[in-house]
Amino acid sequence: MSRSFLPVLAVATLAACAAAPPAPPARTEAEPPTAPAAAGNYGAEPPVRLAPIEARTLEVARARLASGGPGPRISGALVLAARELARAAALGASEPLARGRVRAALARALAYDPAPAVAMVEWPVGGAAEAVAAALSRTRATHLGAGAFERGGAVFLVLLACERRARLRAFPRDVAPGATAALSGTLSAGLAHPRVFLTLPSGRVLETETRGAREFRARIAFPERGRYTVEVVADGDGGPEVAALLTVSAGGAPLDAPGPSAPEVEPADAADAEAAVVRAVNATRRRQGLPALAPAPELAEVARRHSAAMAAQGRVAHVLPGSGELGGRLMSAGIPYRRAYENVARASTAIGAHETAEESPAHRGNLLSPDATRVGVGIARVKSPSGDPAVYLTEVFVAPPDDGAESPLTQDARVREALWRERGRLGLSPLSADPALDALARDAARAMLQRDAADPGDLGERALALRRRLAAVDVFVASAPAEAVRSSNLRDARFGRVGVGVTMGDSRRLGAGRLWIAVVYTD
């Protein structure tokens, strides 16, 4: 089945670098809550001098998170971001740790980690380091940053922690309209197949051509003035995940994202919170000129089960132990589809988790999929290790099955067309249709439907009985004829003839309106 998964967003991850000798903390109470952005590029850690309370906080946090190793590294970029957040809190900013404020602080500090875990305390100077470090004691982290601001005899102390998933080479945060820039870097171990997405100032999402496996490079254009979000997504053991997230200003545009004037109150009832997320999804689609998605209770149940599994394992991922990828979960629930897209995220509220997902270009691209018509949203509420509320969110977007009603071709012919096209794309010699093989394949497809099993039976042996030396078979239970290009034998240059059989019918296990496809190849 064709499907597209979103990268993973959670609250936890960060940068890298060594710190310089300690310096006394600034105590200027007249400073604005937002620091000016330092000029520079993403990729290199800015030098910092740690105040004593910051150095103590990082010492305690590193010891708590060491797990028998050397402990996380200190990131200059995270230190600068943490200082901005601490200053904002001390000077009375509302929602000092709001998602948009954290993201803007990271951009001003030239930090590109997608979702660092963040904790803040207002405390007497003595004991503040231990208090804030305890809040993130169960966080997995490779990099840390701490920032402090003293006011009125108390210290406002912020700690940021992240598990860095990519290392970027120098990339500008500020560009001129019309400029292009090359984004390059290296994925961390366990990640591969990078893709680069871009949210334009208009809100549209584009994917940029990306080259490389772990070492990657993509050229990105910034055609007009505005705020851009650049994202690197890669495949990990839990499915696609966000490896890097960068805010870029073209023509001096603000780094802060426009957001709601007041935070939305989280409904006490989970179903009401899910409905609020659906409304937010459809509001974004309407702003982009797309039709609203219809809420689907059966999709919501699939989403709720996945959110519950994430909450039970304390992990945000598309694929979890004991829980397969989205396509398999939809098939197990008997839900037919042509394409399916999934967003997963975690935050303190359902709407906050949705906003975190929408900030990601790839996630945003999923909810803006023009072929999607239905949506299911499911949440799971738990307490985080620090005792604060945490909401795991899953959003599922589905395009309906392809019944071929809009095509003048038969389903068999559409499968052949897809196979022919893919064979040409691979640069292999064309295949020839074989009526005798077609007849065998049709019999096999009908038998699969009757048995409700993707089992070709003796199709290969019957093809060899036609005095062929080589034969191979691929079978599918699919939602669209084009899915037959997954055929592994299509890439075998030894085969020159093909037979195709397709029948449509319902499956007790795999859902209604499925295409049962048999493809047989011979020399």
Side-chain angles (χ1 to χ4, degrees):
M1 294 185 178
S2 175
R3 56 204 182 269
S4 176
F5 300 128
L6 80 135
V8 172
L9 286 185
V11 185
T13 15
L14 213 9
C17 177
R27 301 175 57 117
T28 307
E29 298 189 7
E31 292 185 33
T34 299
N41 296 321
Y42 291 104
E45 291 283 359
V48 295
R49 300 180 65 210
L50 295 175
I53 183 64
E54 294 168 344
R56 173 60 181 164
T57 300
L58 292 170
E59 178 186 11
V60 173
R62 292 186 75 210
R64 285 180 175 271
L65 301 176
S67 301
R73 298 175 64 186
I74 297 172
S75 162
L78 292 179
V79 169
L80 295 178
R83 284 176 180 168
E84 177 179 327
L85 297 171
R87 182 172 56 249
L91 298 181
S94 62
E95 300 287 323
L97 299 185
R99 173 193 55 82
R101 187 182 293 278
V102 172
R103 175 50 48 197
L106 292 169
R108 277 187 280 271
L110 298 167
Y112 57 85
D113 302 280
V118 56
M120 182 183 74
V121 297
E122 178 186 354
W123 207 270
V125 175
E130 288 74 11
V132 75
L136 297 183
S137 60
R138 299 184 188 180
T139 300
R140 294 180 58 182
T142 60
H143 296 85
L144 298 171
F149 193 95
E150 292 183 37
R151 187 179 190 188
V155 62
F156 290 79
L157 185 58
V158 172
L159 178 63
L160 294 170
C162 77
E163 187 175 9
R164 173 157 285 181
R165 304 298 281 151
R167 186 175 70 253
L168 299 186
R169 299 181 182 88
F171 186 82
R173 185 199 54 209
D174 303 281
V175 298
T180 61
L183 179 69
S184 63
T186 305
L187 297 174
S188 297
L191 293 183
H193 310 118
R195 301 169 67 186
V196 174
F197 295 85
L198 179 70
T199 299
L200 304 176
S202 66
R204 288 198 309 120
V205 175
L206 301 177
E207 182 173 1
T208 300
E209 180 183 2
T210 307
R211 298 181 180 181
R214 281 191 61 201
E215 292 278 343
F216 62 89
R217 182 180 178 86
R219 192 141 194 95
I220 301 173
F222 302 94
E224 59 182 315
R225 183 184 185 277
R227 179 182 183 272
Y228 293 77
T229 304
V230 179
E231 179 179 58
V232 181
V233 175
D235 292 337
D237 60 359
E241 62 180 272
V242 181
L245 193 65
L246 303 76
T247 302
V248 176
S249 167
L255 292 170
D256 301 78
S261 56
E264 182 170 334
V265 177
E266 177 85 341
D269 182 73
D272 290 342
E274 293 166 351
V277 172
V278 172
R279 290 195 297 272
V281 166
N282 283 329
T284 298
R285 287 179 62 89
R286 282 192 294 270
R287 286 193 292 271
Q288 294 299 313
L290 294 170
L293 302 176
E298 67 276 19
L299 292 178
E301 283 302 314
V302 171
R304 288 185 193 115
R305 285 195 291 270
H306 190 67
S307 291
M310 291 193 295
Q313 299 184 33
R315 181 185 180 193
V316 180
H318 295 285
V319 181
L320 298 165
S323 174
E325 63 180 29
L326 175 61
R329 286 182 266 126
L330 291 174
M331 291 174 65
S332 296
I335 300 173
Y337 67 95
R338 181 170 80 255
R339 291 188 182 87
Y341 311 86
E342 180 178 68
N343 287 350
V344 291
R346 179 182 65 213
S348 60
T349 65
I351 201 68
H354 167 75
E355 290 172 351
T356 299
E358 192 171 320
E359 182 181 59
S360 152
H363 289 74
R364 183 179 175 89
N366 283 343
L367 71 89
L368 293 178
S369 298
D371 57 353
T373 60
R374 297 188 299 148
V375 60
V377 170
I379 66 170
R381 289 169 166 163
V382 296
K383 290 287 186 181
S384 67
S386 66
D388 295 322
V391 177
Y392 289 80
L393 169 72
T394 303
E395 301 171 342
V396 178
F397 314 99
V398 164
D402 181 1
D403 61 6
E406 298 180 0
S407 174
L409 301 177
T410 65
Q411 302 284 23
D412 294 25
R414 295 179 68 196
V415 169
R416 290 191 198 90
E417 181 183 54
L419 296 177
W420 270 221
R421 185 168 54 247
E422 180 68 7
R423 183 87 168 188
R425 189 188 70 80
L426 295 170
L428 299 175
S429 58
L431 295 166
S432 299
D434 188 310
L437 294 176
D438 285 341
L440 296 180
R442 282 193 294 270
D443 288 345
R446 287 192 289 265
M448 287 195 299
L449 173 60
Q450 291 171 357
R451 293 193 298 269
D452 197 12
D455 178 2
D458 61 353
L459 177 57
E461 289 80 1
R462 296 176 68 191
L464 288 173
L466 298 175
R467 297 184 179 181
R468 309 292 164 78
R469 293 173 298 170
L470 297 172
V473 174
D474 287 313
V475 294
F476 309 92
V477 182
S479 297
E483 293 180 38
V485 299
R486 290 184 290 139
S487 170
S488 58
N489 293 298
L490 180 62
R491 292 155 178 76
D492 194 328
R494 295 176 300 168
F495 296 125
R497 302 184 188 188
V498 67
V500 173
V502 183
T503 190
M504 177 177 280
D506 299 340
S507 167
R508 293 184 301 277
R509 298 181 303 108
L510 305 176
R514 315 304 290 170
L515 294 179
W516 302 79
I517 303 173
V519 184
V520 57
Y521 301 88
T522 69
D523 53 330

